[in-house]
Structure formats: structure tokens, C-alpha cells
Amino acid sequence: MKKTVIILCGIVVLAALWYVLALAGIDVFIVVPGLIQWATKYILPWIVLYWLIRLIKSLEKR
């Protein structure tokens, strides 16, 4: 149930972002893929590294 709510909230936020950008006259088909590319290049590796370090620390405690 909790995952469903999180996914639904994410979809609502993305739809609202899409609508607001379109209202502002920004070309959504250029900006959104650029933001996704930027996030996968700079943000997601740090998130993966954080969780990998947490995994290693939890395995060392055992």
C-alpha cells in the first residue's frame, strides 16, 4: 500500500511539473529529457554509492 501511494505521488508531481512547464511556454520535450539525463549522470550515482556503503557497513557488522 505504501509503495502505491509513493508511486502515485510521484506521478502526480511529474504531471504537475509537465503542466506548469507547458503553461510557462517552456518546451517540455527538451527540458524534461535534459533533466532526466542530468539526474542520472550526477544524482543517481551518489544515491547508489550511499546505499552501497550502507550495505557494506551492515555486512561488516555481521
Side-chain angles (χ1 to χ4, degrees):
M1 177 76 177
K2 191 173 183 180
K3 271 189 175 180
T4 307
V5 171
I6 292 172
I7 291 172
L8 185 62
C9 287
I11 291 171
V12 168
V13 167
L14 286 176
L17 176 67
W18 195 279
Y19 182 72
V20 169
L21 287 174
L23 278 178
I26 298 172
D27 191 6
V28 179
F29 293 103
I30 294 174
V31 173
V32 172
L35 289 174
I36 292 171
Q37 180 184 5
W38 182 82
T40 57
K41 191 181 289 184
Y42 298 111
I43 303 296
L44 291 179
W46 287 104
I47 295 171
V48 170
L49 181 63
Y50 171 77
W51 285 105
L52 183 65
I53 290 171
R54 284 187 57 147
L55 174 67
I56 291 171
K57 284 184 179 183
S58 70
L59 290 176
E60 285 180 348
K61 287 182 181 180
R62 290 183 181 182

